[in-house]
Coordinates of all heavy atoms in Angstrom, one line a residue:
M14 N -23.6 4.9 -17.6 CA -24.7 5.5 -16.9 C -24.4 5.6 -15.4 O -24.1 4.5 -14.8 CB -26.0 4.8 -17.1 CG -27.2 5.5 -16.6 SD -28.8 4.7 -17.1 CE -28.8 5.0 -18.8
K15 N -24.5 6.7 -14.8 CA -24.1 6.8 -13.4 C -25.3 6.9 -12.5 O -26.3 7.5 -12.8 CB -23.3 8.1 -13.2 CG -21.9 8.0 -13.8 CD -20.9 8.9 -13.2 CE -19.5 8.6 -13.6 NZ -18.5 9.4 -13.0
Q16 N -25.2 6.1 -11.4 CA -26.3 6.0 -10.5 C -25.9 6.4 -9.1 O -24.7 6.3 -8.8 CB -26.9 4.6 -10.5 CG -27.4 4.1 -11.8 CD -28.6 4.8 -12.3 OE1 -29.3 5.5 -11.6 NE2 -28.9 4.7 -13.6
K17 N -26.8 6.8 -8.3 CA -26.5 7.2 -6.9 C -26.3 6.0 -6.1 O -27.0 5.0 -6.2 CB -27.7 8.0 -6.4 CG -27.3 8.9 -5.2 CD -28.5 9.8 -5.0 CE -28.5 10.3 -3.6 NZ -29.7 11.1 -3.2
I18 N -25.3 6.0 -5.2 CA -25.1 5.0 -4.2 C -26.0 5.1 -3.0 O -25.9 6.2 -2.3 CB -23.6 4.9 -3.8 CG1 -22.7 4.8 -5.0 CG2 -23.3 3.8 -2.8 CD1 -21.2 4.9 -4.7
L19 N -26.8 4.2 -2.8 CA -27.7 4.2 -1.6 C -27.1 3.6 -0.4 O -27.2 4.2 0.7 CB -29.0 3.5 -1.9 CG -29.8 4.0 -3.1 CD1 -31.1 3.1 -3.3 CD2 -30.2 5.5 -3.0
R20 N -26.4 2.5 -0.6 CA -25.8 1.8 0.5 C -24.6 1.0 0.1 O -24.5 0.7 -1.1 CB -26.9 0.8 1.1 CG -27.6 1.2 2.3 CD -28.5 0.1 2.8 NE -29.5 -0.2 1.9 CZ -30.7 0.5 1.8 NH1 -30.9 1.5 2.6 NH2 -31.6 0.2 0.9
L21 N -23.8 0.7 1.0 CA -22.7 -0.2 0.7 C -22.7 -1.4 1.7 O -22.7 -1.2 2.9 CB -21.3 0.5 0.8 CG -21.0 1.5 -0.2 CD1 -19.9 2.4 0.2 CD2 -20.6 0.9 -1.6
N22 N -22.8 -2.6 1.1 CA -22.9 -3.8 1.9 C -21.7 -4.7 1.6 O -21.2 -4.7 0.5 CB -24.2 -4.6 1.6 CG -25.4 -3.7 1.7 OD1 -25.6 -3.1 2.7 ND2 -26.2 -3.7 0.6
Q23 N -21.3 -5.5 2.6 CA -20.2 -6.5 2.4 C -20.8 -7.9 2.2 O -21.7 -8.3 2.9 CB -19.3 -6.5 3.6 CG -17.9 -6.2 3.2 CD -17.0 -6.0 4.4 OE1 -17.4 -5.7 5.4 NE2 -15.7 -6.1 4.1
D24 N -20.3 -8.6 1.2 CA -20.8 -10.0 1.0 C -20.0 -11.0 1.8 O -19.1 -10.6 2.5 CB -20.8 -10.3 -0.5 CG -19.4 -10.4 -1.1 OD1 -18.5 -10.4 -0.4 OD2 -19.4 -10.6 -2.4
E25 N -20.3 -12.2 1.6 CA -19.7 -13.3 2.4 C -18.2 -13.3 2.2 O -17.4 -13.7 3.1 CB -20.2 -14.7 2.1 CG -21.7 -14.8 2.0 CD -22.2 -14.4 0.5 OE1 -21.8 -15.1 -0.4 OE2 -22.8 -13.4 0.4
A26 N -17.7 -12.9 1.0 CA -16.3 -13.0 0.7 C -15.6 -11.7 1.2 O -14.4 -11.6 1.1 CB -16.1 -13.1 -0.8
G27 N -16.3 -10.8 1.7 CA -15.7 -9.6 2.2 C -15.6 -8.5 1.2 O -15.0 -7.4 1.4
D28 N -16.2 -8.7 0.0 CA -16.2 -7.8 -1.1 C -17.3 -6.8 -0.8 O -18.4 -7.1 -0.3 CB -16.4 -8.4 -2.4 CG -15.1 -9.1 -2.9 OD1 -14.0 -8.6 -2.6 OD2 -15.2 -10.1 -3.6
W29 N -17.1 -5.6 -1.3 CA -18.2 -4.5 -1.1 C -19.1 -4.5 -2.3 O -18.7 -4.6 -3.4 CB -17.5 -3.2 -0.9 CG -16.9 -3.1 0.4 CD1 -15.6 -3.3 0.7 CD2 -17.5 -2.7 1.7 NE1 -15.4 -3.1 2.1 CE2 -16.5 -2.8 2.7 CE3 -18.8 -2.4 2.0 CZ2 -16.8 -2.5 4.0 CZ3 -19.1 -2.2 3.4 CH2 -18.1 -2.2 4.3
V30 N -20.4 -4.4 -1.9 CA -21.4 -4.3 -2.9 C -22.2 -3.0 -2.8 O -22.7 -2.7 -1.7 CB -22.4 -5.5 -2.8 CG1 -23.5 -5.5 -3.9 CG2 -21.7 -6.8 -2.9
A31 N -22.3 -2.3 -3.8 CA -23.0 -1.0 -3.8 C -24.4 -1.2 -4.2 O -24.7 -1.8 -5.3 CB -22.3 0.0 -4.7
E32 N -25.3 -0.7 -3.4 CA -26.7 -0.7 -3.8 C -27.0 0.6 -4.5 O -26.9 1.7 -3.9 CB -27.5 -0.8 -2.5 CG -28.6 -1.9 -2.5 CD -29.3 -1.9 -1.2 OE1 -28.8 -2.5 -0.3 OE2 -30.4 -1.3 -1.2
L33 N -27.5 0.5 -5.7 CA -27.6 1.8 -6.5 C -29.1 2.2 -6.6 O -30.0 1.4 -6.5 CB -27.0 1.6 -7.9 CG -25.5 1.2 -7.9 CD1 -25.1 0.8 -9.3 CD2 -24.7 2.3 -7.4
S34 N -29.3 3.5 -6.9 CA -30.6 4.0 -7.0 C -31.4 3.4 -8.2 O -32.6 3.5 -8.1 CB -30.5 5.5 -7.2 OG -29.7 5.9 -8.3
C35 N -30.8 2.8 -9.1 CA -31.5 2.2 -10.2 C -32.0 0.8 -9.9 O -32.8 0.2 -10.6 CB -30.5 2.1 -11.4 SG -29.1 1.1 -11.1
G36 N -31.7 0.3 -8.7 CA -32.2 -1.0 -8.3 C -31.2 -2.1 -8.5 O -31.3 -3.2 -8.0
H37 N -30.1 -1.8 -9.2 CA -29.0 -2.8 -9.4 C -28.1 -2.8 -8.2 O -28.0 -1.8 -7.4 CB -28.2 -2.5 -10.6 CG -29.0 -2.7 -11.9 ND1 -29.0 -1.7 -12.9 CD2 -29.8 -3.7 -12.3 CE1 -29.8 -2.2 -13.9 NE2 -30.3 -3.3 -13.5
A38 N -27.3 -3.9 -8.0 CA -26.3 -3.9 -7.0 C -25.0 -4.3 -7.8 O -25.0 -5.2 -8.6 CB -26.6 -4.9 -6.0
R39 N -23.9 -3.7 -7.5 CA -22.7 -4.0 -8.2 C -21.5 -4.1 -7.2 O -21.4 -3.3 -6.3 CB -22.4 -3.1 -9.3 CG -22.3 -1.6 -9.0 CD -21.4 -1.0 -10.0 NE -20.1 -1.5 -10.0 CZ -19.1 -1.1 -10.7 NH1 -19.3 -0.2 -11.6 NH2 -17.9 -1.6 -10.6
H40 N -20.6 -5.0 -7.5 CA -19.4 -5.1 -6.7 C -18.5 -3.9 -6.9 O -18.4 -3.5 -8.0 CB -18.7 -6.4 -7.0 CG -19.2 -7.6 -6.2 ND1 -20.1 -8.5 -6.8 CD2 -18.9 -8.0 -5.0 CE1 -20.4 -9.4 -5.9 NE2 -19.7 -9.2 -4.8
V41 N -17.9 -3.5 -5.8 CA -16.9 -2.4 -6.0 C -15.6 -3.0 -5.4 O -15.4 -3.3 -4.2 CB -17.3 -1.2 -5.1 CG1 -16.3 -0.1 -5.3 CG2 -18.7 -0.7 -5.6
R42 N -14.7 -3.2 -6.3 CA -13.4 -3.8 -6.0 C -12.3 -2.9 -6.4 O -12.3 -2.3 -7.5 CB -13.2 -5.2 -6.6 CG -14.2 -6.2 -6.1 CD -13.8 -7.6 -6.7 NE -14.8 -8.6 -6.4 CZ -15.8 -9.0 -7.2 NH1 -15.9 -8.3 -8.3 NH2 -16.6 -9.9 -6.8
H43 N -11.3 -2.7 -5.6 CA -10.1 -1.9 -6.0 C -9.1 -2.8 -6.7 O -8.4 -3.6 -6.1 CB -9.5 -1.3 -4.8 CG -8.4 -0.3 -5.2 ND1 -8.5 0.6 -6.2 CD2 -7.1 -0.2 -4.7 CE1 -7.4 1.3 -6.3 NE2 -6.5 0.9 -5.4
R44 N -9.1 -2.8 -8.1 CA -8.2 -3.7 -8.8 C -7.6 -2.8 -9.9 O -7.9 -3.0 -11.1 CB -9.0 -4.8 -9.5 CG -9.8 -5.7 -8.6 CD -9.0 -7.0 -8.4 NE -9.9 -8.0 -7.8 CZ -10.1 -8.1 -6.4 NH1 -9.6 -7.2 -5.7 NH2 -10.9 -9.0 -5.9
P45 N -6.6 -2.0 -9.5 CA -6.0 -1.2 -10.5 C -5.2 -2.0 -11.5 O -4.7 -3.1 -11.1 CB -5.0 -0.3 -9.7 CG -4.8 -1.0 -8.4 CD -6.1 -1.8 -8.2
P46 N -5.0 -1.6 -12.8 CA -5.5 -0.3 -13.3 C -6.9 -0.4 -13.9 O -7.4 0.6 -14.3 CB -4.5 0.0 -14.4 CG -4.1 -1.4 -14.9 CD -4.2 -2.3 -13.7
W47 N -7.5 -1.6 -13.8 CA -8.8 -1.7 -14.5 C -10.0 -1.1 -13.6 O -10.8 -0.4 -14.2 CB -9.2 -3.2 -14.7 CG -8.1 -3.9 -15.5 CD1 -8.0 -3.9 -16.8 CD2 -7.0 -4.7 -15.0 NE1 -6.9 -4.6 -17.2 CE2 -6.3 -5.1 -16.1 CE3 -6.6 -5.0 -13.7 CZ2 -5.1 -5.9 -15.9 CZ3 -5.5 -5.8 -13.6 CH2 -4.8 -6.2 -14.7
Q48 N -9.9 -1.4 -12.4 CA -10.9 -0.8 -11.5 C -10.2 0.0 -10.4 O -9.5 -0.6 -9.6 CB -11.8 -1.9 -10.9 CG -12.6 -2.6 -11.9 CD -13.4 -3.8 -11.3 OE1 -12.8 -4.8 -10.9 NE2 -14.7 -3.6 -11.1
N49 N -10.4 1.3 -10.4 CA -9.8 2.1 -9.5 C -10.8 2.7 -8.5 O -11.4 3.7 -8.6 CB -9.1 3.3 -10.2 CG -7.6 3.3 -10.0 OD1 -7.2 3.2 -8.8 ND2 -6.8 3.4 -11.0
Y50 N -10.9 1.9 -7.4 CA -11.9 2.4 -6.4 C -11.1 2.3 -5.0 O -11.5 1.6 -4.1 CB -13.1 1.4 -6.3 CG -13.9 1.4 -7.6 CD1 -14.0 0.3 -8.4 CD2 -14.6 2.6 -8.0 CE1 -14.7 0.3 -9.6 CE2 -15.3 2.6 -9.2 CZ -15.3 1.4 -10.0 OH -16.1 1.4 -11.1
R51 N -10.1 3.2 -4.9 CA -9.3 3.2 -3.7 C -10.2 3.5 -2.5 O -9.9 3.1 -1.4 CB -8.2 4.1 -3.8 CG -7.1 3.8 -2.8 CD -5.8 4.4 -3.1 NE -5.8 5.5 -4.0 CZ -4.7 6.3 -4.2 NH1 -3.6 6.0 -3.6 NH2 -4.7 7.3 -5.0
W52 N -11.2 4.3 -2.7 CA -12.0 4.8 -1.6 C -12.8 3.6 -0.9 O -13.2 3.7 0.3 CB -13.1 5.8 -2.0 CG -13.9 5.4 -3.2 CD1 -13.6 5.7 -4.5 CD2 -15.1 4.6 -3.2 NE1 -14.6 5.1 -5.3 CE2 -15.5 4.5 -4.5 CE3 -15.9 4.1 -2.2 CZ2 -16.7 3.8 -4.9 CZ3 -17.0 3.4 -2.5 CH2 -17.4 3.3 -3.9
I53 N -12.9 2.5 -1.6 CA -13.7 1.4 -1.0 C -12.9 0.7 0.2 O -13.5 0.1 1.0 CB -14.0 0.3 -2.1 CG1 -15.2 -0.5 -1.6 CG2 -12.8 -0.6 -2.5 CD1 -16.5 0.2 -1.6
S54 N -11.6 0.9 0.2 CA -10.8 0.2 1.2 C -10.7 0.9 2.5 O -10.2 0.3 3.5 CB -9.3 0.0 0.6 OG -8.8 1.3 0.3
N55 N -11.3 2.0 2.7 CA -11.3 2.6 4.0 C -12.7 3.2 4.3 O -13.4 3.6 3.5 CB -10.2 3.7 4.2 CG -10.4 4.9 3.3 OD1 -11.2 5.8 3.7 ND2 -9.8 4.9 2.2
A56 N -13.0 3.2 5.6 CA -14.3 3.6 6.1 C -14.7 5.0 5.7 O -15.8 5.3 5.4 CB -14.4 3.4 7.6
E57 N -13.7 5.9 5.8 CA -13.9 7.3 5.5 C -14.3 7.5 4.0 O -15.3 8.2 3.7 CB -12.6 8.1 5.7 CG -12.8 9.1 6.8 CD -11.4 9.8 7.0 OE1 -11.0 10.5 6.0 OE2 -10.9 9.8 8.1
G58 N -13.6 6.8 3.2 CA -13.9 6.8 1.7 C -15.2 6.3 1.4 O -16.0 6.9 0.6
R59 N -15.6 5.2 2.1 CA -16.9 4.6 1.8 C -18.0 5.6 2.3 O -19.0 5.8 1.5 CB -17.1 3.3 2.5 CG -16.2 2.2 1.9 CD -16.6 0.8 2.4 NE -16.4 0.7 3.9 CZ -15.2 0.4 4.5 NH1 -14.2 0.1 3.7 NH2 -15.1 0.3 5.8
A60 N -17.8 6.2 3.4 CA -18.9 7.1 3.9 C -19.0 8.3 3.0 O -20.1 8.7 2.8 CB -18.5 7.6 5.3
S61 N -17.9 8.7 2.4 CA -18.0 9.9 1.6 C -18.6 9.6 0.2 O -19.1 10.5 -0.5 CB -16.6 10.5 1.3 OG -15.8 9.6 0.4
M62 N -18.7 8.3 -0.1 CA -19.3 7.9 -1.4 C -20.8 7.6 -1.3 O -21.4 7.5 -2.4 CB -18.5 6.8 -2.0 CG -17.2 7.1 -2.6 SD -17.3 8.4 -3.9 CE -18.0 7.4 -5.3
I63 N -21.3 7.5 -0.1 CA -22.7 7.2 0.0 C -23.4 8.5 -0.5 O -23.1 9.6 -0.1 CB -23.1 7.0 1.5 CG1 -22.4 5.8 2.0 CG2 -24.7 6.8 1.6 CD1 -22.9 4.4 1.5
G64 N -24.3 8.3 -1.4 CA -25.0 9.5 -2.0 C -24.2 10.0 -3.3 O -24.7 10.9 -4.0
G65 N -23.0 9.4 -3.5 CA -22.3 9.8 -4.7 C -22.7 9.0 -5.9 O -23.6 8.2 -5.8
K66 N -22.0 9.2 -7.0 CA -22.4 8.5 -8.2 C -21.4 7.4 -8.5 O -20.2 7.6 -8.3 CB -22.4 9.5 -9.4 CG -23.5 10.6 -9.2 CD -24.9 10.0 -9.4 CE -26.0 11.1 -9.2 NZ -26.3 11.9 -10.4
L67 N -21.9 6.3 -9.1 CA -21.1 5.2 -9.5 C -21.7 4.7 -10.9 O -22.9 4.7 -11.1 CB -21.2 4.1 -8.5 CG -20.2 2.9 -8.7 CD1 -18.8 3.4 -8.4 CD2 -20.5 1.8 -7.7
K68 N -20.7 4.4 -11.7 CA -21.2 3.9 -13.0 C -21.8 2.5 -12.9 O -21.3 1.6 -12.3 CB -19.9 3.8 -14.0 CG -20.3 3.6 -15.4 CD -19.1 3.6 -16.3 CE -19.4 3.0 -17.7 NZ -18.2 2.6 -18.4
C69 N -23.0 2.4 -13.5 CA -23.7 1.1 -13.4 C -23.5 0.3 -14.7 O -24.1 0.7 -15.7 CB -25.2 1.2 -13.0 SG -26.0 -0.3 -12.9
G70 N -22.8 -0.8 -14.7 CA -22.5 -1.6 -15.9 C -23.8 -2.2 -16.4 O -24.0 -2.4 -17.6
L71 N -24.7 -2.6 -15.5 CA -25.9 -3.2 -15.9 C -26.8 -2.3 -16.7 O -27.4 -2.6 -17.7 CB -26.7 -3.8 -14.7 CG -25.9 -4.9 -14.0 CD1 -26.6 -5.3 -12.7 CD2 -25.8 -6.2 -14.8
C72 N -26.9 -1.1 -16.2 CA -27.7 0.0 -16.9 C -27.0 0.2 -18.3 O -27.8 0.4 -19.3 CB -27.7 1.3 -16.1 SG -28.9 1.2 -14.8
S73 N -25.7 0.3 -18.3 CA -25.0 0.5 -19.6 C -25.3 -0.6 -20.6 O -25.3 -0.3 -21.8 CB -23.5 0.6 -19.3 OG -23.2 1.6 -18.4
Q74 N -25.5 -1.8 -20.1 CA -25.8 -2.9 -21.0 C -27.3 -3.0 -21.3 O -27.8 -3.9 -21.9 CB -25.4 -4.2 -20.3 CG -23.9 -4.4 -20.2 CD -23.6 -5.5 -19.2 OE1 -24.3 -6.5 -19.0 NE2 -22.5 -5.3 -18.5
G75 N -28.0 -2.0 -20.9 CA -29.5 -1.9 -21.2 C -30.3 -2.8 -20.4 O -31.4 -3.2 -20.7
M76 N -29.8 -3.1 -19.2 CA -30.6 -3.9 -18.3 C -31.4 -3.1 -17.3 O -31.8 -3.6 -16.3 CB -29.7 -4.9 -17.5 CG -29.1 -6.0 -18.5 SD -28.1 -7.1 -17.6 CE -29.3 -8.0 -16.6
D77 N -31.6 -1.9 -17.6 CA -32.4 -1.1 -16.7 C -33.9 -1.2 -17.0 O -34.3 -1.9 -18.0 CB -32.0 0.4 -16.8 CG -32.0 1.0 -18.1 OD1 -32.2 0.2 -19.1 OD2 -31.9 2.2 -18.3
K78 N -34.7 -0.6 -16.2 CA -36.1 -0.6 -16.3 C -36.5 0.2 -17.5 O -35.8 1.1 -17.9 CB -36.8 -0.1 -15.1 CG -36.7 -1.0 -13.9 CD -36.2 -0.3 -12.7 CE -35.5 -1.3 -11.7 NZ -34.5 -0.6 -10.9
P79 N -37.7 -0.1 -18.1 CA -38.1 0.7 -19.3 C -38.2 2.2 -19.0 O -38.6 2.6 -17.9 CB -39.5 0.1 -19.5 CG -39.6 -1.1 -18.8 CD -38.6 -1.1 -17.7
V80 N -37.7 2.9 -19.9 CA -37.7 4.4 -19.8 C -39.1 4.9 -20.1 O -39.7 4.5 -21.1 CB -36.7 5.0 -20.6 CG1 -36.6 6.5 -20.5 CG2 -35.3 4.4 -20.3
K81 N -39.6 5.8 -19.3 CA -40.9 6.4 -19.6 C -40.8 7.2 -20.9 O -39.9 8.1 -21.0 CB -41.3 7.3 -18.5 CG -41.9 6.5 -17.3 CD -42.2 7.5 -16.2 CE -42.2 6.8 -14.8 NZ -42.0 7.8 -13.7
S82 N -41.6 7.0 -21.8 CA -41.5 7.7 -23.1 C -42.5 8.9 -23.0 O -43.5 8.9 -22.3 CB -42.0 6.9 -24.3 OG -43.3 6.4 -24.1
K83 N -42.0 10.0 -23.6 CA -42.8 11.2 -23.5 C -43.4 11.5 -24.9 O -43.1 12.6 -25.5 CB -41.9 12.4 -23.1 CG -41.7 12.4 -21.6 CD -40.9 13.6 -21.2 CE -40.5 13.6 -19.8 NZ -39.5 14.7 -19.5
D84 N -44.2 10.6 -25.4 CA -44.7 10.7 -26.7 C -45.9 11.8 -26.7 O -46.7 11.7 -25.8 CB -45.3 9.4 -27.2 CG -44.2 8.4 -27.6 OD1 -43.0 8.9 -27.8 OD2 -44.4 7.2 -27.6
R85 N -45.8 12.7 -27.6 CA -46.9 13.7 -27.7 C -47.8 13.3 -28.9 O -47.3 13.1 -30.0 CB -46.3 15.1 -27.9 CG -45.4 15.5 -26.8 CD -44.7 16.7 -27.1 NE -45.5 17.9 -26.6 CZ -45.0 19.2 -26.8 NH1 -43.9 19.4 -27.5 NH2 -45.7 20.2 -26.4
T86 N -49.0 13.3 -28.6 CA -50.0 12.9 -29.7 C -50.7 14.1 -30.2 O -50.8 15.1 -29.5 CB -51.0 11.8 -29.2 OG1 -51.5 12.2 -27.9 CG2 -50.3 10.5 -29.1
Ligands
ZN122 ZN1 -28.3 0.0 -12.9

């Protein structure tokens, strides 16, 4: 599930944390070949990704908020 990136913050360890529109926060690390986020390592790349989409692992695991159901009676 892809979510919009609202902000990018750096934690105490210097790792980047993306604040997503779903309310989750996830680390963005460039660890090829598993995690390919080369854009995180430079300011231009980060700026270009604000407002872009990032896959949210927590949402994929079903840890998102309840989905509004559209039940018709
Ligand atoms: Zn999420």
Side-chain angles (χ1 to χ4, degrees):
M14 192 174 287
K15 290 201 169 184
Q16 302 293 345
K17 199 170 160 189
I18 302 174
L19 302 178
R20 260 185 295 276
L21 288 164
N22 308 307
Q23 236 172 340
D24 69 8
E25 317 84 65
D28 285 326
W29 287 96
V30 180
E32 229 180 280
L33 302 173
S34 55
C35 57
H37 292 134
R39 57 153 297 180
H40 275 96
V41 182
R42 299 186 184 93
H43 185 49
R44 301 258 193 279
W47 304 279
Q48 293 174 288
N49 239 309
Y50 300 114
R51 199 162 22 168
W52 52 266
I53 201 69
S54 55
N55 67 81
E57 246 178 59
R59 290 192 299 273
S61 74
M62 283 303 285
I63 302 287
K66 297 284 179 88
L67 190 69
K68 193 178 165 198
C69 182
L71 294 172
C72 282
S73 301
Q74 288 163 35
M76 287 181 71
D77 56 346
K78 288 133 206 150
V80 181
K81 283 176 205 159
S82 59
K83 284 183 183 172
D84 288 340
R85 296 172 93 180
T86 47

